[in-house]
Amino acid sequence: MMKFRFRRQGTDPQREKIKQELFAFNKTVEHGFPHQPSALAFDPKLELMAIGTKSGAIKVYGSPGVEFTGLHSDTTAVTQIQFLPGQGRLLSLLDDNTIHLWELVGGAPREVGGVKKEGVIILQEVDSYSLPGKPGIESCSATRVTVLLLLRSCDLLCIGTEGGGVYFLELPCLSLKDNLTLPQDQVTQSLPDDYRCGKSLGPVESLQEHPQQPGKILIGYSRGLVVLWDLSTRHTEQLFLGKQQLESLVWERSGNLFVSSHNDGGYSVWPVTNGNTCHQQPVSSTVPYGPFPCKAINKILWRTTQTGSPLLLYSGGMPRASYGDRHCLTIQRDKEHVTLDFTSRVIDFFTVHNVEQEKEFDDPSAVVVLLEEELVVIDLLTPGWPSLPTPYLAPLHSSAITCSFHVSSVSPKLWERLVNAGKAQQGRQQAHGRWPICGGKNLAPPPKQQELLLTGHEDGTVRFWDASGVALTPLYKLSTANVFHTDCDPCDEPHDPSDDPDMQQEEEWPPFRKVGCFDPYSDDPRLGIQKISLCKYSNKLLVAGTAGQVIVLGLSDERSEHTVDVSVVDLLQDREGFTWKGHDRLEPRLKPPPFPPGFQPQVLVQCMPPASVTAVALHAEWNLISFGTSHGFGLFDYHRRNAVLARCTLHPNDSLAMEGPLSRVKSLKKSLRQSFRRIRKSRVSGKKRPIATPTSKVQEANAALAEQEDVAPIQRRIEPRSADDSLSGVVRCLCFADTFLRDGTHHGATLWAGTNSGSVYAYALEVPGVGSGRVCERGGAGESSVCVEAVLGKEIQLMHRAPVVSISVLDGRGKPLPDPYEASQDLSIAPDMSNAHSVLIASEEQLKVFSLPKVSAKTKFKLTAHEGCRVRKVALVVFGSTAQEDYSEHTLVCLTNLGDMHLFTIPGLRPQVRHDCIRKEDISGIASCVFTKNGQGFYLVSPSEYERFSLSAKVVTEALCSVQLDRPLEHTPASDGSTTQANGTHKNQLGQAEGQTDEPPIALSSPLMDPPLSSPLMDTPLDSPLSCADLTLDSTGEITVEDVRDFLTTVDEAENNLKNIKEEEGRSTGILIN
């Protein structure tokens, strides 16, 4: 009798309750610098700063941890922002000519860590307005808004347009006051005939209110005319007949003069006197970087100081021929003159100064400059005008991010040493003054533990970030370039006195000073960091790069001058017929420069051929590192400085692995050819399938029974991969474990390696001292003479040859083995060594648990067959319960190529919940995802921003803050659970479909998410407006053929995928329970 086994979709109420206490999906906060900023504003009363982006986001920042985020319903660029000072309101102008009013309103009380938090503030859009256009073809351009001015009374908004008209909106109701409208014709009538000469005045370029006489507005037109308009009497008080195209205007604090900047690179000072109503010429006119043609001065500020000399700040104005490509901001006072030279375009800037009417002088304390790729703050109170370190908004992409690594529960001692190393690096470069954007109050409880996020970059640096809270703060930067000779090597050239920045500032004109840390250009692409591993107990760091370099570093508090030991490991093992055609290795320095305090290199292991390192593993307790490339993997004892193992994984036909990354175009063509060959093979073989056989009849009966019962999960047919696929020898993962490999009674050190062709190698290691107690950092002389040995214990070949993504060993209780030093130093529960262990192998197509030491299959889950997706990232995570403090579960988290998260129990591999997280088109975001051990994660939502998310109901890092406003605080109605991320990723916690609500879209943040009101079983809708073209793929390093293979599908596969998607949309988002 044949036995059919089907899993029924049952629900256990008790288990459902536990899952709601364990799992909840939230996108919580965005770390880093906003992608493509387009507007800037500052509230001097509340000390808040707002940044608008081209994707329609509004981000408001205060003191570290105080963040509010809103998103317009249309993904249109924000062109201007205006704060209503002290009110917690702001106005935004979009590129579609609409004006929007936002308010900080009181949210519902929040419970965080068992403590109820009152006074939490959120950002909400309350109204919008669009100027009505007159009938006619040119109506749209005539009423297109060019500039906004908020009067000091905060009850009137002045709007300048392209047609030259000035309109007035009543606030906060956003109603047009027709009786105040100033058309351009009315201004033209008051002009002298010789100036009028039939020409249009052009668009309104600038609007500025008189600093001492409210209601008097300075109106600047593009042609050069400036008008002082009295709003109360509705007549022109004074005319300033400029001849040069106008860019911007600024008042002097007393109101006796104003300054205009122009497109010829000059600025003019105009007097404002009561006797004269028409001024033909300014008091003075200066082209600071003339006499040769210069670029326009886009914006200028004039600030008075107690010293008597005004402070002049302006952007642009550089000589066109010599420095027309520079992005500069000039600061002048008396003989002090500095030209700040940035690496990206200046968007806008403002000064932090006295705004109270009773103050006699502006006395600016800082200037804040928003650039296209970073934010720079200059301290104007400190001599030399140094830059201030940013506690947030740091440019993560100062060099393109190529990899990342997260460390949780960092010890206070290690944390302090990293902070001190970072402070020593800053030295004289940066001031340590007060951060000027310090509004609001952070209500979030202090983090229970310190968390580190390490990012590897294209220029060979590793940056350490404080990821404990909402603000991602830079701590320390490690550079590996000084270990090698590079193409641009300053240390090999004799020092030229003219290279000294101080000397340059005296001799060079303009007096440039490099400011900012955004530097996207790498001296040598081979320096790029590909893999990072850090042991927080031994302070050992493992860094591997693009040219096969693997560096072991140790933490030191002192400056050191030492040579780095170099070892070369040949992964080809003299195999014949293979010739490396890629880049050369990086040549190590014979005498490197002194290493500053921090992580200092101890050993350099050079893989040959010098291919990019694809996997690393560090076991500091055994003093071992393992590394893999596209050719094989090696094992190295960095204590005894000797290579233990080198294994070649190349297939005889795998010639592509020898060509290096420069032959990527050729590899893509080859993969396309192979894809079409497989398509033809499958079609030919598909024609032969309809032949009736007893086996096919049984399958038909099974399928009919499955349809009748409707309880069996749909499985997709999986084609075995060819053994000679390109790059089949790539090592995808490495793992150290103390487990049973040879027999079931004796456990010992092992090394596991998985490849792109579905091969798994398990080596038994003989490590001196492991069986007799803890390994010392420096053993005795007798122990040092004994070498580590490696013997191949098992070799597993997965049936479908799918790439192995992850390997993890589970103890007798089915729990992951602790990290090195955790068990030996009683830092975690000791693993169960009395019962049989098992190994969890995750391939791109399925998850499978094998028993040890026999390596027999125990359980599996065919993710590709059930869900039609491929595994990209895997992590073992501990989820704590919100109801029981001492209850937690170890769970397998899986990210697929479709951008969704799947959670499974271990070792049973029962599906728990599934959430849509990343857009499936966002290859860069999926490739950059990194998980934490407590249920959170990060991925690059843009080249400069990490999106932080939480899969845990208990551990959520989100912004909770309050602001003291000058107006009564309004409270929002009860939230429906719908939120909107600043990057445009819409989330609906209650599982409501997008577009089914009649309520206006409300964009919220800080907190970005309300407490989980709904079951975590619900899927999350996703429709990000950021197109794939907005993301640069180089932000995550090498994008392999495997990453883009999902988009090289056949027509049949596409139809099947569409059918499966429609089926999934048609049924409820339930969860299969065994």
Side-chain angles (χ1 to χ4, degrees):
M1 179 179 175
M2 189 171 293
K3 186 177 180 182
F4 298 94
R5 297 179 61 207
F6 299 105
R7 294 186 296 178
R8 296 182 177 273
Q9 294 191 27
T11 57
D12 179 4
Q14 184 62 28
R15 181 59 191 169
E16 293 300 313
K17 182 175 181 294
I18 292 175
K19 286 199 291 186
Q20 292 193 30
E21 295 167 355
L22 291 173
F23 312 121
F25 177 73
N26 291 318
K27 288 187 178 180
T28 54
V29 70
E30 290 171 357
H31 296 301
F33 185 76
H35 184 51
Q36 294 182 327
S38 54
L40 177 70
F42 181 64
D43 187 334
K45 290 187 177 179
L46 298 181
E47 296 180 307
L48 296 175
M49 176 183 69
I51 294 177
T53 71
K54 289 184 179 179
S55 61
I58 297 272
K59 299 195 175 189
V60 180
Y61 300 92
S63 59
V66 176
E67 294 184 12
F68 309 96
T69 305
L71 182 68
H72 295 88
S73 55
D74 294 328
T75 57
T76 310
V78 181
T79 56
Q80 291 184 50
I81 306 175
Q82 288 277 348
F83 269 105
L84 279 67
Q87 297 187 21
R89 293 188 175 109
L90 60 88
L91 293 157
S92 61
L93 172 65
L94 300 189
D95 198 36
D96 63 2
N97 212 41
T98 57
I99 299 171
H100 300 257
L101 177 64
W102 297 79
E103 284 186 356
L104 294 176
V105 297
R110 305 292 305 278
E111 187 170 334
V112 181
V115 180
K116 197 172 185 180
K117 294 289 184 182
E118 301 281 354
V120 176
I121 303 293
I122 59 176
L123 182 64
Q124 176 177 302
E125 182 182 349
V126 294
D127 204 355
S128 64
Y129 179 82
S130 179
L131 272 181
K134 298 178 181 179
I137 299 176
E138 299 180 356
S139 61
C140 295
S141 61
T143 58
R144 182 170 181 82
V145 180
T146 55
V147 63
L148 300 178
L149 169 67
L150 179 72
L151 298 188
R152 277 199 303 279
S153 58
C154 292
D155 59 356
L156 212 57
L157 178 70
C158 308
I159 304 173
T161 62
E162 275 195 10
V166 180
Y167 300 84
F168 296 88
L169 278 185
E170 189 177 354
L171 297 176
C173 58
L174 293 184
S175 61
L176 182 65
K177 298 182 75 69
D178 289 318
N179 60 322
L180 296 179
T181 300
L182 175 62
Q184 190 178 104
D185 297 342
Q186 187 173 343
V187 176
T188 308
Q189 292 172 5
S190 61
L191 295 177
D193 292 338
D194 58 341
Y195 189 84
R196 193 183 311 171
C197 64
K199 293 183 180 178
S200 169
L201 300 179
V204 177
E205 291 291 341
S206 184
L207 294 170
Q208 298 292 333
E209 187 179 15
H210 197 292
Q212 304 298 331
Q213 302 176 32
K216 292 187 178 181
I217 304 170
L218 211 58
I219 305 172
Y221 295 91
S222 177
R223 182 177 156 190
L225 174 70
V226 180
V227 177
L228 183 59
W229 176 260
D230 192 331
L231 192 59
S232 58
T233 61
R234 290 189 48 75
H235 80 279
T236 302
E237 190 166 291
Q238 294 188 47
L239 294 174
F240 305 89
L241 307 180
K243 303 292 194 300
Q244 191 64 40
Q245 182 176 324
L246 183 72
E247 294 291 329
S248 72
L249 298 171
V250 63
W251 279 103
E252 190 261 348
R253 188 180 182 90
S254 66
N256 295 326
L257 59 89
F258 69 87
V259 183
S260 61
S261 69
H262 303 275
N263 76 330
D264 64 345
Y267 64 88
S268 302
V269 180
W270 299 82
V272 180
T273 57
N274 294 327
N276 192 359
T277 59
C278 187
H279 298 266
Q280 299 281 349
Q281 296 293 333
V283 174
S284 65
S285 188
T286 309
V287 181
Y289 296 113
F292 299 107
C294 295
K295 300 194 74 174
I297 294 181
N298 303 311
K299 181 177 179 178
I300 190 166
L301 295 179
W302 180 291
R303 300 294 181 233
T304 58
T305 62
Q306 292 185 11
T307 59
S309 300
L311 188 75
L312 195 63
L313 308 97
Y314 52 88
S315 60
M318 289 293 106
R320 286 185 178 274
S322 306
Y323 305 108
D325 57 341
R326 298 285 185 102
H327 311 289
C328 298
L329 176 76
T330 301
I331 307 177
Q332 289 179 242
R333 184 175 60 190
D334 281 343
K335 295 181 179 179
E336 294 179 276
H337 188 135
V338 172
T339 306
L340 304 178
D341 187 10
F342 305 107
T343 53
S344 59
R345 184 169 58 93
V346 178
I347 303 295
D348 201 355
F349 63 96
F350 63 84
T351 58
V352 181
H353 60 276
N354 296 327
V355 293
E356 297 84 358
Q357 287 293 319
E358 59 272 13
K359 299 283 187 179
E360 186 179 355
F361 301 101
D362 293 317
D363 285 331
S365 60
V367 57
V368 179
V369 189
L370 176 65
L371 306 166
E372 200 168 32
E373 304 292 353
E374 62 183 319
L375 184 82
V376 174
V377 180
I378 304 296
D379 184 1
L380 298 177
L381 299 179
T382 304
W385 298 328
S387 58
L388 286 169
T390 55
Y392 50 82
L393 285 176
L396 304 176
H397 63 317
S398 51
S399 174
I401 296 176
T402 50
C403 63
S404 55
F405 185 81
H406 184 270
V407 185
S408 58
S409 302
V410 179
S411 65
K413 186 175 181 181
L414 173 58
W415 192 267
E416 182 183 3
R417 296 177 70 182
L418 286 174
V419 170
N420 291 336
K423 288 180 179 178
Q425 279 182 337
Q426 291 178 2
R428 298 179 300 134
Q429 300 174 10
Q430 294 177 321
H432 299 281
R434 172 180 173 269
W435 179 250
I437 306 159
C438 53
K441 182 181 179 182
N442 186 10
L443 300 179
K448 296 180 180 179
Q449 61 182 24
Q450 303 286 3
E451 297 184 20
L452 275 177
L453 180 66
L454 280 66
T455 54
H457 297 264
E458 196 178 43
D459 62 354
T461 59
V462 178
R463 297 167 197 260
F464 292 67
W465 307 88
D466 178 2
S468 310
V470 173
L472 191 69
T473 308
L475 293 178
Y476 164 69
K477 183 177 80 171
L478 164 70
S479 177
T480 61
N482 55 359
V483 181
F484 305 99
H485 292 283
T486 57
D487 296 337
C488 303
D489 224 338
C491 298
D492 291 343
E493 300 171 3
H495 180 68
D496 187 356
S498 63
D499 292 340
D500 188 8
D502 296 331
M503 296 288 292
Q504 282 186 0
Q505 193 163 321
E506 293 177 8
E507 298 175 2
E508 187 179 14
W509 182 262
F512 289 118
R513 181 205 294 171
K514 286 284 185 184
V515 179
C517 57
F518 177 73
D519 184 11
Y521 307 107
S522 174
D523 291 341
D524 194 325
R526 296 174 296 173
L527 290 170
I529 306 298
Q530 295 299 325
K531 296 294 174 182
I532 304 171
S533 183
L534 172 66
C535 176
K536 60 186 177 183
Y537 302 111
S538 64
N539 302 332
K540 293 292 183 184
L541 177 65
L542 178 61
V543 173
T546 304
Q549 69 271 29
V550 182
I551 308 173
V552 181
L553 305 100
L555 186 60
S556 174
D557 299 328
E558 303 294 333
R559 182 183 176 94
S560 175
E561 296 188 24
H562 64 270
T563 57
V564 180
D565 295 331
V566 181
S567 296
V568 178
V569 177
D570 182 14
L571 295 179
L572 289 181
Q573 294 294 290
D574 300 326
R575 184 173 293 195
E576 297 179 357
F578 289 92
T579 304
W580 174 249
K581 303 174 185 177
H583 49 249
D584 295 331
R585 59 178 283 190
L586 284 164
E587 290 298 326
R589 293 179 183 273
L590 299 177
K591 187 180 180 183
F595 298 108
F599 279 99
Q600 299 171 351
Q602 298 175 345
V603 183
L604 166 63
V605 181
Q606 180 62 56
C607 301
M608 295 302 290
S612 178
V613 178
T614 56
V616 295
L618 166 67
H619 202 297
E621 196 170 4
W622 301 341
N623 298 318
L624 293 177
I625 61 169
S626 183
F627 42 86
T629 69
S630 55
H631 307 121
F633 59 92
L635 179 64
F636 189 84
D637 183 346
Y638 62 83
H639 172 43
R640 298 171 183 83
R641 307 294 201 264
N642 72 296
V644 179
L645 169 69
R647 171 70 186 255
C648 182
T649 56
L650 281 178
H651 190 272
N653 297 332
D654 197 359
S655 59
L656 185 61
M658 305 307 296
E659 295 178 359
L662 299 180
S663 304
R664 191 167 298 130
V665 176
K666 190 184 296 184
S667 69
L668 189 57
K669 289 180 180 177
K670 184 173 181 180
S671 72
L672 285 168
R673 285 197 302 270
Q674 291 174 344
S675 297
F676 284 117
R677 285 172 188 164
R678 280 197 295 270
I679 293 168
R680 286 195 291 268
K681 287 180 183 177
S682 63
R683 285 176 178 169
V684 172
S685 60
K687 294 176 183 177
K688 301 176 182 178
R689 284 184 200 130
I691 299 174
T693 62
T695 307
S696 65
K697 289 180 179 180
V698 172
Q699 290 174 349
E700 289 176 9
N702 291 351
L705 186 59
E707 278 184 19
Q708 181 181 351
E709 296 290 335
D710 196 25
V711 293
I714 300 172
Q715 292 195 18
R716 294 159 178 81
R717 186 173 180 274
I718 307 300
E719 290 283 351
R721 306 194 185 198
S722 173
D724 60 351
D725 268 1
S726 61
L727 300 176
S728 61
V730 175
V731 178
R732 294 287 294 269
C733 58
L734 293 162
C735 167
F736 286 107
D738 185 1
T739 187
F740 302 90
L741 187 61
R742 292 175 174 171
D743 55 61
T745 56
H746 300 90
H747 63 87
T750 60
L751 170 66
W752 299 74
T755 72
N756 227 27
S757 60
S759 300
V760 177
Y761 304 92
Y763 281 83
L765 309 179
E766 291 291 339
V767 181
V770 170
S772 58
R774 201 169 68 217
V775 177
C776 301
E777 179 69 20
R778 291 290 178 185
E783 186 179 307
S784 298
S785 61
V786 182
C787 295
V788 179
E789 296 180 1
V791 179
L792 181 62
K794 306 286 182 182
E795 186 171 340
I796 308 167
Q797 179 62 59
L798 301 183
M799 183 180 301
H800 290 103
R801 298 184 178 274
V804 180
V805 177
S806 170
I807 302 173
S808 303
V809 176
L810 310 177
D811 69 2
R813 293 187 295 266
K815 309 295 183 187
L817 295 181
D819 290 338
Y821 286 108
E822 284 188 344
S824 59
Q825 297 186 3
D826 298 327
L827 299 170
S828 68
I829 300 175
D832 183 0
M833 293 295 185
S834 58
N835 297 309
H837 285 197
S838 54
V839 58
L840 169 62
I841 299 177
S843 73
E844 281 194 358
E845 295 175 358
Q846 69 177 2
L847 312 170
K848 201 164 187 177
V849 176
F850 298 88
S851 63
L852 291 177
K854 293 184 178 180
V855 195
S856 57
K858 292 176 65 176
T859 183
K860 64 182 176 181
F861 187 87
K862 298 180 180 179
L863 196 65
T864 302
H866 288 295
E867 305 292 340
C869 54
R870 289 176 178 167
V871 178
R872 283 289 176 258
K873 302 276 183 177
V874 168
L876 293 174
V877 176
V878 180
F879 287 91
S881 172
T882 56
Q884 306 176 46
E885 188 66 32
D886 57 345
Y887 182 78
S888 63
E889 287 187 9
H890 288 268
T891 305
L892 178 70
V893 179
C894 172
L895 171 65
T896 73
N897 64 322
L898 301 182
D900 50 3
M901 300 281 181
H902 297 259
L903 275 65
F904 300 88
T905 61
I906 55 171
L909 297 183
R910 290 186 175 88
Q912 297 301 293
V913 293
R914 171 190 170 276
H915 297 291
D916 291 327
C917 183
I918 311 173
R919 292 178 300 113
K920 64 180 180 181
E921 298 86 2
D922 188 2
I923 304 174
S924 177
I926 294 172
S928 64
C929 185
V930 58
F931 297 101
T932 74
K933 290 188 175 182
N934 57 11
Q936 298 188 87
F938 305 82
Y939 70 91
L940 284 173
V941 72
S942 75
S944 58
E945 290 174 290
Y946 270 113
E947 176 79 74
R948 188 175 190 139
F949 62 88
S950 176
L951 299 167
S952 170
K954 185 176 182 179
V955 182
V956 180
T957 302
E958 60 182 350
L960 297 171
C961 35
S962 66
V963 179
Q964 295 294 326
L965 305 178
D966 292 348
R967 60 177 174 83
L969 188 63
E970 299 176 10
H971 288 268
T972 58
S975 173
D976 64 350
S978 176
T979 63
T980 309
Q981 280 295 100
N983 62 13
T985 304
H986 295 257
K987 299 185 296 302
N988 193 327
Q989 270 190 294
L990 296 180
Q992 185 180 16
E994 294 292 328
Q996 292 182 356
T997 175
D998 296 327
E999 297 178 1
I1002 296 176
L1004 310 177
S1005 189
S1006 183
L1008 283 172
M1009 299 299 293
D1010 290 332
L1013 303 174
S1014 62
S1015 167
L1017 308 180
M1018 299 298 181
D1019 284 339
T1020 308
L1022 203 71
D1023 60 339
S1024 173
L1026 280 181
S1027 65
C1028 193
D1030 290 336
L1031 306 180
T1032 56
L1033 294 181
D1034 63 354
S1035 61
T1036 53
E1038 298 291 336
I1039 300 296
T1040 63
V1041 175
E1042 291 296 324
D1043 292 324
V1044 298
R1045 185 173 287 168
D1046 311 318
F1047 299 93
L1048 305 177
T1049 57
T1050 65
V1051 176
D1052 296 337
E1053 288 173 340
E1055 290 176 352
N1056 289 334
N1057 288 339
L1058 184 61
K1059 179 182 177 183
N1060 294 326
I1061 290 171
K1062 289 181 179 178
E1063 289 176 355
E1064 290 175 0
E1065 289 176 349
R1067 62 175 186 261
S1068 63
T1069 55
I1071 302 301
L1072 294 175
I1073 307 295
N1074 281 346

